[in-house]
Amino acid sequence: MDHAARQLCWAIHRDLMQAAILRVAALMRRVLRSDLAAQRIAGARPGRPGG
């Protein structure tokens, strides 16, 4: 495998990894936000202990 091909493979791999990391981060942010919203709703609802 020559140097140019190796560089190209690395560039593609890095782009794919970056896209996957961004997708996972966005998903986690959405999950965290919905979890916080659910906790706020649960805390605001009367007759619920804790929260």
Side-chain angles (χ1 to χ4, degrees):
M1 199 176 198
D2 66 341
H3 186 65
R6 193 178 294 123
Q7 269 191 330
L8 182 63
C9 277
W10 174 244
I12 291 169
H13 177 73
R14 193 180 54 208
D15 282 355
L16 286 174
M17 287 297 293
Q18 200 169 14
I21 288 167
L22 286 173
R23 197 173 299 133
V24 169
L27 183 66
M28 283 180 67
R29 206 176 297 129
R30 192 178 306 141
V31 168
L32 282 171
R33 196 181 297 131
S34 65
D35 193 41
L36 284 171
Q39 282 180 5
R40 202 175 296 129
I41 290 165
R45 196 177 297 143
R48 282 290 296 270

